[in-house]
Amino acid sequence: MSPSPLHEAVAHHKARHEEYPGGSYLRLTDKFQGAPRGTVVIDGRVVYGYPSIGRILRLETGLHHQFRAPFWVEEKVDGYNVRILRVDDQVLALSRGGFICPFTTDRAPDLLDLRILEAHPELILCAEVAGPGQPYVSGHPPYIREDVQLFVFDVMRMDQQQYLPQEEKRALVEGYGLPAVAHYGRYAPEQWHEMRELLWRLAGEGREGVVMKEDSPRDHRAKCVTSYSCVDDIRGTVDHLRDLPAEYFMGRVLRLALFIDEQGQGRMDDLRQQLGSAFMDGLFKAIEQSKQEHRVYRTHRCRFRDPENARRLLKHLKRADGHLHIVERGLEREGDYYVLAFDKLHASMTGLLGHVLGGGLVFD
Amino acid sequence: MSPSPLHEAVAHHKARHEEYPGGSYLRLTDKFQGAPRGTVVIDGRVVYGYPSIGRILRLETGLHHQFRAPFWVEEKVDGYNVRILRVDDQVLALSRGGFICPFTTDRAPDLLDLRILEAHPELILCAEVAGPGQPYVSGHPPYIREDVQLFVFDVMRMDQQQYLPQEEKRALVEGYGLPAVAHYGRYAPEQWHEMRELLWRLAGEGREGVVMKEDSPRDHRAKCVTSYSCVDDIRGTVDHLRDLPAEYFMGRVLRLALFIDEQGQGRMDDLRQQLGSAFMDGLFKAIEQSKQEHRVYRTHRCRFRDPENARRLLKHLKRADGHLHIVERGLEREGDYYVLAFDKLHASMTGLLGHVLGGGLVFD
């Protein structure tokens, strides 16, 4: 696909022009003619979006149903998806939706050795950024204790929608010493018992799950998550349950039941207790915040190299979340970094808890 | 309000003509000019609908906020709402929505002494019908072991929207020996500690909660449920979670957290475990049904005096739930009764579990 069809997408209200420090680019706000949402045209090149990967909830049938050949298994990291690329002399990080992410763009030189993009300016590194110091999602892997880390999981080329083959990707990762997602080997579709054991082990390590990539030209993919991920997602977000679709939670409850059913009830352990705690303890925290501070919020702290990027991040978040929900707390120098602190105010939960704790009636 | 405005409602598509064995009547399908949904005009008289009662989730503030005078406290029973009345020589039971309920109409002579309606044909008995042998809702109070029971909680008159005062209602209930909801006394809005202890006791007894009715001409009402009710509702319905709004579950999780927060964390007991079990064990049951029988369903068994009413019930349920979801199993004589057995097929859950257990992909 050449850049021109994307310009057609503008006419169909499926693409928008966006500004960035280096000029302007085109961003696909919806899928269009086979290109996923988040695809961009920048400096005359197409950077394809990273499509969503379908999920299997049963290994025994799902592996057979999805894969016609052995597949590579990699860790699915609980963070946010970026595409890192070089445009002229600038390194940029694109979010899933195709925005320039001011945080990841700022921190890219800390997170990986960027010489790969000097040597191969046509490459795009697809990666997950995770950790307590990131500005977007609620959770993070327990093994990242501070700030953020980046994990490359795919490499693409400009103007091309497919990914480099596994061997080629791993040669680049090893050659440049790039941080990458953990690699668990190559499995055949019959090996569902082995995959089940792998997922059980990953659950115990607090890992989100796996992405499976067929070792074949069609490169078909599917993902599968652990019980840990289901419970941790609930624990991490239930304090603002009214600000999320209720289906978010019920989907995770259902995935958990299916996971345990396949692992065998003997592996139930204390998951009933953990699930109940995830729901209750997160809500007790929100109730306490509402009583003490009359609002339900979460404070994020993110390190920046350049304070201008901190300001760009706030602008970016306010654009995405609505002006009232992001409250800046301050930007302070700490060592070599500027630390931006801001609150995400959960407006619906704040309103609901204020109403009911004040004695208001609810009709439902 | 005279019957004529309800005829106006037909023109506004807020009322419909319905047939019943004695003729036809008018049913309000939406609220209209102050009359609630479920209001009917039958034999030239208006029978007002039973409005929904607002819920408080915090006693300390809610009692003060809602009540200007002491209030009567009655048990809220986990069943379905009916209005029982006499039209010509027929006793009829109206559902919340204003349909003639074939089941309750059939069983009314078993459930209460109907001589009250012979002596006072202008009265309408508002009651809850509960028990494992009812055809509608999933749960029932644990203290009703078989069939159904009826509990009167309000008495109205034809053409009048207000309820009889508490003393008058109780005189009728006692005079005619009617089954009625448990009565817990009269409380002042300051007595929130006493109300908290009452709700804690009711939770332990497996009761759903209370309805509070202000002892004043305005007769203001509010309801409040127990932790037992929150967990029991989840346990009773999670097997068909995809056939209910996800908000149904998350609302109960939130109520549970607010209940425990007010009771004090010392009363948490094993509620985390119970909540986790309610979600997991109900889903394991659905997964097992899907594996064994390729469908998720629940079997109901209801006793009838007249087999014609059993057929009317099936027609009524099929009209409400769509033709595919009610599957008759049989109608058999057992002693003095005819027992109708039918399955409610949970179509969305059947479809989803069939898809994922078969190895299908899910995008979310």
Side-chain angles (χ1 to χ4, degrees):
Chain A
M1 175 160 154
S2 72
S4 56
L6 275 192
H7 290 281
E8 254 180 56
V10 178
H12 289 80
H13 302 288
K14 296 199 166 179
R16 289 186 56 161
H17 290 282
E18 303 286 349
E19 300 299 315
Y20 78 105
S24 78
Y25 68 100
L26 198 60
R27 178 176 70 86
L28 215 51
T29 55
D30 204 350
K31 62 185 176 187
F32 186 74
Q33 294 184 358
R37 183 182 78 89
T39 296
V40 308
V41 180
I42 189 162
D43 199 31
R45 312 296 294 268
V46 181
V47 180
Y48 280 91
Y50 199 88
S52 61
I53 294 176
R55 180 190 302 284
I56 58 172
L57 296 170
R58 175 99 351 192
L59 295 165
E60 182 177 4
T61 50
L63 298 182
H64 260 294
H65 206 83
Q66 296 307 322
F67 297 110
R68 302 174 196 155
F71 48 86
W72 300 104
V73 180
E74 300 175 353
E75 183 184 356
K76 180 179 191 317
V77 176
D78 183 14
Y80 63 92
N81 177 296
V82 290
R83 285 160 287 156
I84 295 180
L85 65 155
R86 194 179 160 99
V87 178
D88 291 330
D89 286 342
Q90 273 189 297
V91 170
L92 299 173
L94 291 172
S95 72
R96 194 84 179 247
F99 291 96
I100 309 281
C101 167
F103 174 72
T104 322
T105 298
D106 180 275
R107 297 295 307 281
D110 300 337
L111 300 176
L112 74 169
D113 184 342
L114 293 166
R115 281 176 296 182
I116 182 173
L117 297 179
E118 285 169 34
H120 305 279
E122 79 288 3
L123 294 184
I124 301 153
L125 307 173
C126 305
E128 198 82 356
V129 179
Q134 52 89 357
Y136 302 117
V137 295
S138 300
H140 63 86
Y143 51 82
I144 306 178
R145 301 283 170 80
E146 57 154 21
D147 201 16
V148 291
Q149 293 180 29
L150 178 143
F151 306 88
V152 172
F153 51 75
D154 270 313
V155 180
M156 301 171 83
R157 284 186 211 282
M158 300 278 187
D159 302 319
Q160 293 189 18
Q161 193 160 5
Q162 68 271 37
Y163 309 102
L164 299 194
Q166 187 73 211
E167 293 81 356
E168 206 174 323
K169 173 188 80 175
R170 290 175 71 188
L172 286 167
V173 160
E174 281 162 34
Y176 286 91
L178 299 178
V181 294
H183 191 81
Y184 301 119
R186 190 167 169 276
Y187 291 76
E190 317 53 271
Q191 290 180 281
W192 73 272
H193 277 107
E194 287 86 340
M195 282 297 296
R196 184 175 66 175
E197 295 313 297
L198 173 64
L199 280 154
W200 182 245
R201 174 163 75 78
L202 298 185
E205 293 172 6
R207 293 182 198 265
E208 189 181 17
V210 296
V211 176
M212 296 160 279
K213 301 174 175 176
E214 191 174 271
D215 187 11
S216 72
R218 71 171 191 148
D219 191 15
H220 181 61
R221 286 141 182 241
K223 65 187 175 189
C224 185
V225 298
T226 63
S227 51
Y228 176 87
S229 161
C230 302
V231 174
D232 191 58
D233 281 355
I234 292 169
R235 185 188 299 116
T237 53
V238 75
D239 65 333
H240 54 285
L241 75 89
R242 283 286 178 135
D243 296 83
L244 288 170
E247 289 76 10
Y248 175 91
F249 298 96
M250 295 314 295
R252 280 151 179 84
V253 168
L254 182 61
R255 280 180 214 160
L256 178 62
L258 285 158
F259 182 89
I260 295 298
D261 181 73
E262 183 156 45
Q263 290 286 339
Q265 300 267 342
R267 289 186 164 171
M268 191 69 197
D269 276 1
D270 58 348
L271 270 168
R272 291 183 180 86
Q273 172 81 21
Q274 283 178 39
L275 177 63
S277 296
F279 276 121
M280 288 296 103
D281 298 338
L283 284 172
F284 291 147
K285 198 180 78 182
I287 293 167
E288 207 48 41
Q289 272 195 339
S290 178
K291 286 187 201 167
Q292 301 294 329
E293 308 184 57
H294 306 289
R295 59 196 197 111
V296 179
Y297 66 96
R298 181 154 326 166
T299 303
H300 288 253
R301 284 189 178 78
C302 306
R303 286 186 197 163
F304 287 85
R305 300 158 67 96
D306 177 355
E308 192 51 46
N309 282 326
R311 290 181 201 107
R312 286 190 187 113
L313 175 73
L314 285 177
K315 209 168 143 193
H316 173 64
L317 290 174
K318 284 178 179 173
R319 173 173 171 183
D321 291 354
H323 279 269
L324 288 171
H325 302 177
I326 301 291
V327 182
E328 185 177 347
R329 279 184 174 254
L331 180 65
E332 288 184 5
R333 180 131 204 171
E334 283 183 21
D336 291 340
Y337 289 102
Y338 292 84
V339 175
L340 173 70
F342 62 92
D343 295 341
K344 281 191 187 169
L345 176 71
H346 299 303
S348 296
M349 201 64 176
T350 294
L352 177 70
L353 287 182
H355 176 70
V356 302
L357 291 172
L361 282 190
V362 178
F363 287 87
D364 50 13
Chain B
M1 174 161 155
S2 72
S4 56
L6 275 193
H7 290 281
E8 255 179 55
V10 178
H12 289 81
H13 302 289
K14 296 200 165 179
R16 291 187 55 162
H17 290 281
E18 302 288 349
E19 301 300 315
Y20 78 105
S24 78
Y25 69 99
L26 198 62
R27 179 176 69 85
L28 215 53
T29 55
D30 204 349
K31 64 185 174 186
F32 186 72
Q33 295 184 356
R37 182 183 80 90
T39 297
V40 308
V41 180
I42 189 161
D43 199 29
R45 311 296 294 268
V46 181
V47 179
Y48 279 90
Y50 199 87
S52 62
I53 294 176
R55 181 190 303 282
I56 59 173
L57 296 169
R58 175 96 355 188
L59 295 166
E60 183 178 3
T61 49
L63 298 182
H64 260 295
H65 207 82
Q66 296 306 322
F67 297 110
R68 300 175 197 155
F71 48 86
W72 300 103
V73 180
E74 300 174 352
E75 183 184 356
K76 181 180 190 317
V77 175
D78 183 15
Y80 63 93
N81 177 296
V82 291
R83 283 160 289 154
I84 295 182
L85 67 155
R86 194 179 161 97
V87 177
D88 291 329
D89 286 342
Q90 271 190 297
V91 169
L92 299 174
L94 291 172
S95 73
R96 194 81 178 249
F99 291 97
I100 309 282
C101 167
F103 174 71
T104 322
T105 298
D106 180 275
R107 298 296 307 283
D110 300 338
L111 301 176
L112 74 168
D113 184 343
L114 293 167
R115 281 175 297 180
I116 183 173
L117 296 179
E118 285 169 33
H120 304 280
E122 80 287 1
L123 294 184
I124 300 152
L125 306 172
C126 304
E128 197 82 357
V129 178
Q134 52 88 359
Y136 302 116
V137 294
S138 300
H140 64 84
Y143 51 84
I144 305 179
R145 301 283 169 79
E146 57 154 19
D147 200 18
V148 290
Q149 293 180 30
L150 177 144
F151 305 89
V152 173
F153 52 76
D154 270 313
V155 180
M156 301 170 83
R157 284 185 210 282
M158 300 279 187
D159 301 320
Q160 294 189 16
Q161 193 160 5
Q162 70 271 36
Y163 309 102
L164 299 195
Q166 185 74 209
E167 293 81 355
E168 207 174 325
K169 174 188 81 176
R170 291 175 71 189
L172 286 166
V173 160
E174 280 163 33
Y176 286 91
L178 300 178
V181 293
H183 190 83
Y184 301 119
R186 192 167 168 275
Y187 290 75
E190 305 72 76
Q191 290 181 279
W192 75 271
H193 277 106
E194 287 87 340
M195 283 296 296
R196 186 175 64 177
E197 295 313 296
L198 173 64
L199 281 154
W200 182 244
R201 175 163 73 80
L202 298 185
E205 294 172 6
R207 294 182 198 264
E208 190 182 17
V210 295
V211 177
M212 295 160 279
K213 300 174 174 176
E214 192 174 88
D215 187 11
S216 72
R218 72 172 191 145
D219 191 16
H220 182 61
R221 287 143 180 239
K223 66 187 175 187
C224 185
V225 298
T226 63
S227 50
Y228 176 87
S229 161
C230 302
V231 174
D232 191 58
D233 281 356
I234 292 169
R235 184 187 300 116
T237 53
V238 75
D239 64 334
H240 54 285
L241 76 90
R242 282 289 177 133
D243 296 82
L244 288 170
E247 289 76 10
Y248 175 92
F249 299 96
M250 295 314 294
R252 279 150 180 85
V253 168
L254 182 60
R255 280 181 213 161
L256 178 63
L258 285 159
F259 182 90
I260 294 299
D261 182 72
E262 184 157 44
Q263 291 286 339
Q265 300 266 341
R267 290 185 164 171
M268 192 68 199
D269 277 2
D270 58 347
L271 270 168
R272 291 183 180 85
Q273 172 82 21
Q274 283 178 40
L275 177 63
S277 296
F279 276 121
M280 287 297 103
D281 298 338
L283 284 172
F284 292 146
K285 199 180 77 182
I287 293 167
E288 207 48 41
Q289 271 196 339
S290 177
K291 286 187 201 166
Q292 301 295 329
E293 308 183 56
H294 305 289
R295 59 194 196 113
V296 180
Y297 67 95
R298 179 149 333 160
T299 303
H300 288 254
R301 285 191 177 78
C302 307
R303 286 184 196 164
F304 286 84
R305 300 158 66 96
D306 177 354
E308 192 50 45
N309 282 325
R311 290 181 199 106
R312 286 190 186 114
L313 175 74
L314 284 177
K315 209 169 145 192
H316 172 64
L317 290 173
K318 284 178 179 174
R319 175 175 169 181
D321 292 353
H323 279 269
L324 288 171
H325 302 176
I326 301 291
V327 183
E328 185 177 347
R329 279 184 174 255
L331 179 65
E332 289 185 4
R333 180 130 203 173
E334 281 184 22
D336 291 338
Y337 290 101
Y338 293 84
V339 175
L340 173 71
F342 63 92
D343 294 343
K344 281 192 189 170
L345 176 72
H346 299 303
S348 296
M349 200 66 176
T350 294
L352 177 70
L353 287 182
H355 177 71
V356 301
L357 290 172
L361 281 191
V362 177
F363 287 87
D364 50 14

